[in-house]
Amino acid sequence: QLTTMRVALQLLFLLGVASIPGSVFPQRTQSQIKVREYLSENPEIGPWLDGLGMFDVYGSIWFTAIYVLLMVSLIGCIIPRTRVHAKALFMPPPASPKHLNKFSNYHAFNVKALDLKIIESVLRNEKYRVRLEHDHVAGEKGYLRETGNLLFHIALLFILIAVAVGSLFGYRGQIIVREGVGMTNVLAQYDTFAPGALFNTDWLEPFQVELQQLEVDFQLAGDTPGQALDFRAYLKHSEADGEEIESVIGVNSPLDIGNASMFLLGHGYAPVFEIKDASGNVIFNDSVIFLPQNGNFLSTGVIKVPDMDPQYGFDGIFAPTAAINDEGNFESIYPDVVDPIIFLAAFKGDLGLDEGVPQNVFQLNTEELEQVGMKTLSLGDTWEFEDGSIRFKRIDRFATFNIASDPGQNLALIAALLAIIGVTLSLYVQRSRVWVRYVSAPEGYVVEIAMISRHEDQDLESALVHITSECKRALGVEESTQENNDGNQ
Amino acid sequence: MAINRTLAEYSNTFVYMSMFVLALSLFIFAYAFSQTRDETKVASRKSGNIAMSLTWLSALLLLIGVVLRGLSAGRAPWGNMYEYSLTGTLLALIVFLVYSLKRDIRWLGLFVVIPALLSLGLAITVLYSESAQLIPALKSYWLIIHVFAAIVSGGLFTLGASVSGLQIVASHVEKRIESGQEPGRLGFIASRIPDSNTLDLFAYRIHAFVFPLWTFTVVAGAIWARSAWGRYWGWDPKETWAFITWVGYAAYMHARITIGWKGNKAAVIALVAFATFIFNYFLVNIFFVGLHSYAGVS
Ligand code: HEM
């Protein structure tokens, strides 16, 4: 028993220490990009650390090994204790030892006449479970302490199970949706997608979402002008049955659709462009996602126009409220749209889109291209270049959503709440045993009372004093009667 | 809602006044402590009482400061590290003062006022920030509950660590005396505080009281994380260190209850666990980047 507790303690320590590197090194589960950066900045030790699993600590073999061992020792502890406790719950408290005066919490007093039934009811009134014998009464209370302790440890086990279920059968992914554009919940729509090891893509909840409007409140005046106060996405979604429902997702209020939940993470601008070719045909008329680079939403984006002849690509910088800073650079001084300006650099040549190699939509590979020119456009402006024209038509917004499904989360929540209840009971409920026995004396009897606690209970002595005076009162003994504290006869 | 500058300034004034009074009480506690523990010595008893009264006054001033700070921004006064530190210190003081009504713990006064002053000092210098509104992700009831539980836990962890630290000092001196040596330099402190067993039990009571609260803190944080980021647990540095702290105190409880490591070994574990809490509060908050610093797009 002792050895298993020692092992459990060591494993607990180990688990704590083992989780440290995950907060020091970048983790694949959080940011692939940061891990790649780290590896390229530290070519010497990077791969070595990678081999040790330092970039995926919480999924590594050694981390898993520690918590599996902890689980095993937890089970090894819970089973025998549950058995013992279950037995104790259905058995009367243990009988009194022969000599009570060896206990350190011990009182005794003299009475002329005595009925143990009276003592029994005193103990019952004090919420003790009672056992009546011919020469003594035994009582025990505080069984909830052990019940709570077991509940806590069992709940911990279930939390581990819930986490495992979630990470094996769940998924999470991110999508970016522009205003006025819909998305279907299929794999191809995700910008990033991280499925659990046993996740089957058939389980993706079939639904469609259209982002109707994204609303952002900026603080206009005061101490931190421009701080985003709040933002929300107005959606129209339809589930498998095709019924359309309007809904709103706020920053802390997700939308649950079937087994999936949709969370609003961030937002940005998606300027709308109309591009015409040399003969005036509209060949592009759409919004383009510009990713924000700083708190004032200076944003960068790329427009690719493969339908033009020759193909065209634009590198753009967008500022919702533009200004020229001291160094003569273009920047944004406020995150809301007050004085929007877009700066475009146009390139022509083969964009390489036809080669079948997947390309990053946020990057324009300009090496093979010929730069045509640069231009700054205000809202509504048109830039005419030799092969056509581009007009900065309107400004839409986009929203970033997390879509996740975690089949273990309800279990985790319930288990966590039970764990809190359990640990509270096991630390606050005091468990104690009391024995009241009598010994014949020259004039009547000596009543001996002793109490023990299986844990440190500072209030044991005052509880004993209380029980003693209740017994005296019930037996009609004057409080002033001489107290016989060492009780030796 | 706009920030009420005037109230924010009043709040600062009250915080400064509270620190001034607390500094006075520090001096008087130190004086009382330097007198012998012999309670018949009037000088020690009297000065101890004066220091306690000053601590009450300082807590009252701090309470006003914290309330004004909250009113100035129209929200609960725990939106940034400056405010966490104020509220946490206030709660540690209140727990100490309320407990002192039940038991004579004037000997602990010095070791509560020192960390309290340190914490307030850091708050007004390094951590200070103007009263402001919160970024969207921080607007949530769960967050208010989570942060409040964390602050209360922090105040109590600090008290527990103080007592555990004193326990190590006391037991060190007791061992020297047992083996027939001079008490040594620490004897000065040890002769003025309760014996190591009493301290051990006292520390245990504090820690046993906060452990469920800290468990709740972590769970409330997970519930909030679920609604803000779509997952209840993601091993973000903040979450990781909250977990490590939890494991540390669980190890303390096990060492203490089930293995029966009373005394120094358990006290050292409690101090290590406290170190992880402080690490999380200062270093992780400031140097590690995680979701807890919220950006436009992740
Ligand atoms: C891994 C195997 C584990 C074993 C074998 C184990 C065993 C035990 C036992 C036997 C007790 C009873 C103390 C008493 O007699 O009152 C106990 C108490 C406790 N355990 Fe564990 N435990 C394990 C894991 C954990 C874990 C992972 C935690 C949380 C981090 C934890 C937290 C606690 C706490 C806080 C107590 C004190 C509450 C009380 O007094 O009952 N235990 N543990």
Side-chain angles (χ1 to χ4, degrees), chain A residues 241-254:
Chain A
D241 58 14
E243 194 193 339
E244 288 213 327
I245 305 166
E246 306 221 341
S247 50
V248 188
I249 303 186
V251 175
N252 283 310
S253 60

Side-chain angles (χ1 to χ4, degrees), chain B residues 87-152:
Chain B
T87 311
T89 311
L90 174 64
L91 284 159
L93 287 178
I94 289 177
V95 169
F96 166 70
L97 290 168
V98 169
Y99 202 75
S100 78
L101 297 177
K102 241 177 82 177
R103 266 166 227 255
D104 181 5
I105 47 171
R106 276 173 295 179
W107 54 269
L108 187 59
L110 190 57
F111 305 95
V112 170
V113 171
I114 290 174
L117 259 181
L118 267 177
S119 154
L120 290 181
L122 275 174
I124 60 165
T125 51
V126 183
L127 305 176
Y128 184 76
S129 51
E130 295 288 337
S131 188
Q133 290 178 346
L134 295 178
I135 64 170
L138 297 182
K139 288 186 180 164
S140 139
Y141 288 111
W142 273 109
L143 187 70
I144 294 176
I145 294 168
H146 162 70
V147 172
F148 186 68
I151 291 172
V152 177

Side-chain angles (χ1 to χ4, degrees), chain A residues 251-298:
Chain A
V251 175
N252 283 310
S253 60
L255 173 68
D256 294 317
I257 310 175
N259 66 23
S261 307
M262 209 167 159
F263 306 84
L264 180 57
L265 268 192
H267 63 96
Y269 291 102
V272 181
F273 300 96
E274 186 183 72
I275 300 174
K276 292 182 180 160
D277 65 10
S279 40
N281 302 318
V282 176
I283 50 174
F284 183 100
N285 185 5
D286 205 354
S287 56
V288 179
I289 292 165
F290 273 53
L291 294 179
Q293 307 296 317
N294 63 23
N296 279 332
F297 284 77
L298 185 70

Side-chain angles (χ1 to χ4, degrees), chain A residues 1 4-9 11-12 15 69-78 81 145-146 148-150 152-153 156 160 422-423 425-427 454-455, chain B residues 204 211-212 215 243 246-254 257-259:
Chain A
Q1 190 73 18
T4 58
M5 256 335 288
R6 259 218 179 134
V7 172
L9 184 60
L11 287 172
L12 265 179
L15 188 66
L69 284 175
L70 194 61
M71 243 166 109
V72 171
S73 97
L74 199 54
I75 296 170
C77 163
I78 289 171
R81 278 181 74 121
R145 184 183 181 89
E146 180 68 1
N149 182 272
L150 289 168
F152 173 68
H153 287 86
L156 287 188
L160 289 179
V423 73
L425 289 175
S426 92
L427 291 171
R454 273 208 267 163
H455 50 88
Chain B
Y204 169 68
F211 187 77
T215 309
F243 172 73
W246 183 72
V247 167
Y249 281 104
Y252 167 83
M253 306 298 270
H254 276 94
I257 303 179
T258 48
I259 303 196

Side-chain angles (χ1 to χ4, degrees), chain A residues 89-112:
Chain A
L89 280 180
F90 292 106
M91 293 234 291
S96 161
K98 270 263 154 327
H99 300 289
L100 290 181
N101 55 10
K102 60 176 194 263
F103 290 101
S104 51
N105 296 97
Y106 171 81
H107 283 203
F109 58 89
N110 295 309
V111 285
K112 298 242 161 46

Side-chain angles (χ1 to χ4, degrees), chain A residues 5-6 9 12-13 15-16 19-20 23-24 30 58 63 152-153 156 162-163 172 174 219 223 227-231 251-252 254 256 261 263 265-267 292 400 402 404 406 409 412-413 416 420 423-424 427-428 456 458-459, chain B residues 3 5 103 133-137 139-140 201 204-205 208-209 211-212 215-216 219 223-224 226-232 234-237 240-241 243-244 246-247 251 253-256 258-259 261-262 269 288 294 296-298:
Chain A
M5 256 335 288
R6 259 218 179 134
L9 184 60
L12 265 179
F13 256 122
L15 188 66
S19 42
I20 295 176
S23 72
V24 177
Q30 278 153 6
Y58 309 106
F63 194 81
F152 173 68
H153 287 86
L156 287 188
V163 170
R172 64 179 36 264
Q174 250 181 43
Q219 185 169 349
D223 316 280
Q227 180 173 308
L229 289 181
D230 207 355
F231 52 104
V251 175
N252 283 310
D256 294 317
S261 307
F263 306 84
L265 268 192
H267 63 96
T400 320
N402 240 348
D406 184 340
Q409 66 187 2
L413 180 62
I420 295 172
V423 73
T424 308
L427 291 171
Y428 289 83
E456 295 156 281
Q458 272 197 324
D459 303 322
Chain B
I3 299 296
R5 283 275 115 239
R103 266 166 227 255
Q133 290 178 346
L134 295 178
I135 64 170
K139 288 186 180 164
S140 139
L201 200 59
Y204 169 68
R205 290 205 134 190
F209 181 80
F211 187 77
T215 309
F216 172 76
V219 173
I223 294 174
W224 167 57
R226 154 70 171 62
S227 67
W229 301 318
R231 87 284 183 293
Y232 61 90
W235 295 106
D236 171 273
T240 303
W241 282 90
F243 172 73
I244 294 172
W246 183 72
V247 167
M253 306 298 270
H254 276 94
R256 186 91 186 16
T258 48
I259 303 196
W261 277 0
K262 310 266 154 73
I269 300 180
F288 286 58
Y294 203 77
V297 158
S298 66

